[in-house]
């Protein structure tokens, strides 16, 4: 699992700061989360093979999270994409994109599916044999969801030395990896845990932006490995949180702590601040394992 | 009159090439022409005081000419713009922008006016005491207009030495600058041309992109000082022009020549080409005074 931050700043794109977009690679799937203006250029700049993106998850319809989507969808067309593309996001996103395609008379050559969200309850929006993605309802000035990405547990790992010692034939290996015990020809039952190792524990990643401090997310992201949480402000600007419906670094850390997250990445910084180290410092008064997002930063998780 | 090219490449924004947008400063007015994705970042990068832009002219609704508009309009809001903003562009542009503002619940704090175009005849879209702007109907895969920017003639310049010699009082100066002759107290009539100099000749700039080779533009831009004309292709790719409705460098030069333009700037290059010097060379086989646009290039006209 790895994460590339394409943009992690609030509000408008600037010369040196990009609005929200990030690419999560998990179990060999590439997911795009949010798509502020300029995201397609950031994808190129960081040399991501973005034709591999088949699912895009949009948190909410504020421009700094979605204005780059129509450009990316159009570029996929110009690049002769054939693979289906799925866009998950708030109700209205389909009309937003289709109207622009209609007016520019630029239909896609690939199938474009919209999964429009309007529920206030967490729901599964993607699931295959390796990964599950669910919404994390957030509280912002506008309908918004975060997303929880969960790896599914791998099959158990074969203990090659053990199965060879017992002389077990290869045709039974898949059954053993699926967790079954093994009966030998002499009738002796070998318990599965003698023949296998535990698989790597499945990992999880939660993206929570934009939102005010909102405790209902805690049970949804409980025990998450990595939490990306917005922290638009420092404590000194906490008074702005209620009106703008954003979070401080300290509040984000409190969510991480209460959810028993293993690691917290802070992002969605207001461009009023010059140094982001203060965000880390403030968060660490509450929760220790804090990292700071930055445009172009790569996290090997 | 000066021109800053923010982007002059066809199709999608890339790391090093930007889609169409340019800023024309003429008679102290700042006009934005087209607004591809990333235009607001280009405006910042080139340190243009873009709050001065009150009129935006959009040629057509293909993404590489308009997908940056919603971002710029939103940014103006975030910057607390108060001044009216006028957007001139093809019918549909109002719906495109208003739907996005509605869905992002982000209304502007300033008045936003749309001047939606659908005529196939040239029409005046802006006029004040210094400048007139008219459409140049183009022929593309979608309804498209270029724009002709014309300075109005300045008042005549006072010949200070002459009016003082004749002892003419200052209260008559404006009348003289407006072109009137002057009757002295002794009844002698002094012709205006003895009291004034010719003003600087008014300048004009024509923007023609995107279009196939289209001779009907010639009478509209006749004798223009500077013609920016798209030249997506070189002669070797002329066969692509009919299907894509674009122009070669040579064809652009032919328009410049037939319109008796003083100078031609080529732009809207396909990103398939590595060097733009070939465009200049090809055009110069037909028309001599050719310059090449480039992102960030400033033309003092």
């Amino acid at each position: 699992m790895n994460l590339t931050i394409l943009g992690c700043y609030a509000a408008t794109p600037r010369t040196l700061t990009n609005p929200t977009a990030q690419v999560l690679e998990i179990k060999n799937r590439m997911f795009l989360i949010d798509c502020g203006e300029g995201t397609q250029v950031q994808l190129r700049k960081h040399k991501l093979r973005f034709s591999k993106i088949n699912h895009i998850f949009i948190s909410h319809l504020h421009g700094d999270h979605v204005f780059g989507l129509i450009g990316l969808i159009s570029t996929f067309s110009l690049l002769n994409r054939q693979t289906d593309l799925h866009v998950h996001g708030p109700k209205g996103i389909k009309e937003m994109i289709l109207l622009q395609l209609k007016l520019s008379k630029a239909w896609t050559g690939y199938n474009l599916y919209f999964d429009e969200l309007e529920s206030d309850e967490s729901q599964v929006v993607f699931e295959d044999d390796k990964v599950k993605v669910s919404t994390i309802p957030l509280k912002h000035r506008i309908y918004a969801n975060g997303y929880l990405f969960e790896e599914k547990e791998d099959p158990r790992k074969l203990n090659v030395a053990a199965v060879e010692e017992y002389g077990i034939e290869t045709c039974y290996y898949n059954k053993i990896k699926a967790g079954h015990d093994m009966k030998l020809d002499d009738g002796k039952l070998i318990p599965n845990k003698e023949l296998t190792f535990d698989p790597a524990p499945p990992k999880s990643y939660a993206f929570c932006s934009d939102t005010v401090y909102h405790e209902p997310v805690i049970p949804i992201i409980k025990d998450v490995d990595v939490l990306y949480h917005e922290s638009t402000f420092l404590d000194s600007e906490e008074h702005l949180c209620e009106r703008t419906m954003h979070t401080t670094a300290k509040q984000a850390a409190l969510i991480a702590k209460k959810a028993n997250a293993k690691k917290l990445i802070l992002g969605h910084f207001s461009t009023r601040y010059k140094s982001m180290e203060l965000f880390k410092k403030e968060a660490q008064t509450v929760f220790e394992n804090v990292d700071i997002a930055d445009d172009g930063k790569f996290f090997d998780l």
Side-chain angles (χ1 to χ4, degrees), chain A:
Chain A
M1 187 167 82
N2 68 65
L3 179 71
T4 306
I5 306 292
L6 302 176
C8 66
Y9 289 87
T12 70
R14 288 164 176 257
T15 317
L16 298 173
T17 63
N18 293 280
T20 301
Q22 48 184 252
V23 171
L24 180 72
E25 282 194 87
I26 178 169
K27 291 277 183 184
N28 214 24
R29 282 128 185 85
M30 188 184 258
F31 297 124
L32 177 64
I33 308 167
D34 279 349
C35 193
E37 186 177 349
T39 294
Q40 58 173 316
V41 175
Q42 287 292 93
L43 285 165
R44 287 185 193 273
K45 192 170 161 190
H46 299 295
K47 301 199 191 312
L48 290 154
R49 289 193 43 220
F50 60 98
S51 62
K52 277 179 65 188
I53 296 169
N54 298 332
H55 287 264
I56 300 174
F57 299 89
I58 300 293
S59 63
H60 64 299
L61 297 185
H62 279 159
D64 55 332
H65 294 253
V66 73
F67 283 166
L69 182 58
I70 180 65
L72 182 60
I73 284 172
S74 302
T75 292
F76 278 141
S77 272
L78 290 168
L79 297 175
N80 286 319
R81 180 190 175 101
Q82 301 293 322
T83 320
D84 296 354
L85 182 68
H86 300 261
V87 175
H88 310 265
K91 190 166 168 58
I93 197 166
K94 181 176 177 177
E95 189 187 1
M96 178 187 270
I97 297 300
L98 292 192
L99 174 68
Q100 291 181 85
L101 289 175
K102 186 184 108 184
L103 288 171
S104 64
K105 291 195 184 163
W107 303 106
T108 62
Y110 55 92
N111 294 320
L112 181 58
Y113 296 101
F114 290 91
D115 171 23
E116 294 200 301
L117 308 171
E118 45 186 335
S119 171
D120 291 324
E121 309 271 308
S122 175
Q123 60 183 118
V124 175
V125 288
F126 172 84
E127 185 162 20
D128 67 8
D129 57 327
K130 301 277 190 187
V131 180
K132 189 173 91 171
V133 186
S134 326
T135 57
I136 307 167
L138 303 174
K139 195 173 170 192
H140 194 43
R141 304 195 302 279
I142 188 175
Y143 177 74
N145 286 296
Y147 293 97
L148 174 66
F149 300 80
E150 294 173 283
E151 291 181 356
K152 291 189 178 175
E153 195 163 79
D154 276 332
R156 299 187 61 76
K157 282 185 182 170
L158 204 65
N159 179 340
V160 179
V163 291
E164 284 179 354
E165 200 186 310
Y166 284 115
I168 297 168
E169 297 201 30
T170 53
C171 58
Y172 294 109
Y173 285 4
N174 277 340
K175 210 172 160 188
I176 293 170
K177 285 195 277 185
H180 294 276
D181 299 333
M182 193 69 210
K183 201 173 198 171
L184 301 185
D185 292 344
D186 61 6
K188 190 179 171 190
L189 191 76
I190 314 295
N192 185 273
K193 65 176 182 177
E194 273 189 40
L195 303 172
T196 57
F197 300 115
D198 290 343
K203 288 183 174 163
S204 56
Y205 172 73
F207 170 89
C208 293
S209 183
D210 295 0
T211 187
V212 74
Y213 178 79
H214 189 50
E215 296 206 339
V217 311
I218 294 167
I220 301 170
I221 63 169
K222 195 75 187 163
D223 300 325
V224 72
D225 287 284
V226 182
L227 167 63
Y228 177 97
H229 199 289
E230 77 130 285
S231 60
T232 307
F233 299 117
L234 290 173
D235 214 26
S236 45
E237 278 69 46
E238 200 207 325
H239 58 284
L240 297 176
C241 286
E242 203 179 339
R243 182 169 59 79
T244 63
M245 299 288 252
H246 285 300
T247 312
T248 67
K250 206 181 271 181
Q251 290 170 338
L254 208 56
I255 294 288
K257 186 181 180 182
K258 291 188 176 182
N260 193 36
K262 292 188 188 61
K263 180 190 181 77
L264 170 65
I265 300 175
L266 295 175
H268 201 267
F269 308 114
S270 163
T271 50
R272 77 184 60 207
Y273 303 107
K274 294 287 165 276
S275 159
M276 302 307 136
E277 278 308 304
L278 288 175
F279 285 84
K280 186 171 179 173
K281 262 194 191 159
E282 269 198 18
Q284 282 184 326
T285 61
V286 174
F287 180 86
E288 204 193 325
N289 192 4
V290 178
D291 219 330
I292 293 291
D294 198 5
D295 295 2
K297 196 164 175 179
F298 176 83
F299 292 92
D300 191 352
L301 304 169

